[in-house]
Amino acid sequence: ARAVYARPTRLVLDDVFSALDANTEHSVYESLFDPKLGLLVGQTVILVTNGSALRPCETTVSRAHASDA
């Protein structure tokens, strides 16, 4: 939370949804990335996650494990 409220120009979020249930994950994601009201709108964010929170992004990079290929 401190990193978000510090309003950095660039932010790396690594697996921040891992301990959240699906409803909370969705709520937090919307609070951060909603196009009109999100706390991180207009900032460069690198989001690394295994969660299902990903919604349409400007750029998405996927990496599959060798066993997934």
Side-chain angles (χ1 to χ4, degrees):
R2 286 187 290 243
V4 172
Y5 288 110
R7 308 291 295 163
T9 56
R10 292 175 294 279
L11 183 62
V12 177
L13 300 174
D14 184 10
D15 211 11
V16 295
F17 301 111
S18 64
L20 305 178
D21 62 71
N23 290 331
T24 305
E25 179 182 329
H26 177 75
S27 178
V28 170
Y29 185 91
E30 292 299 318
S31 295
L32 295 176
F33 299 108
D34 180 78
K36 294 181 181 175
L37 302 173
L39 294 170
L40 296 176
V41 169
Q43 295 174 306
T44 300
V45 178
I46 297 172
L47 173 62
V48 179
T49 185
N50 290 321
S52 60
L54 282 178
R55 307 290 187 268
C57 300
E58 188 171 318
T59 303
T60 302
V61 178
S62 294
R63 180 175 175 265
H65 292 278
S67 61
D68 295 340

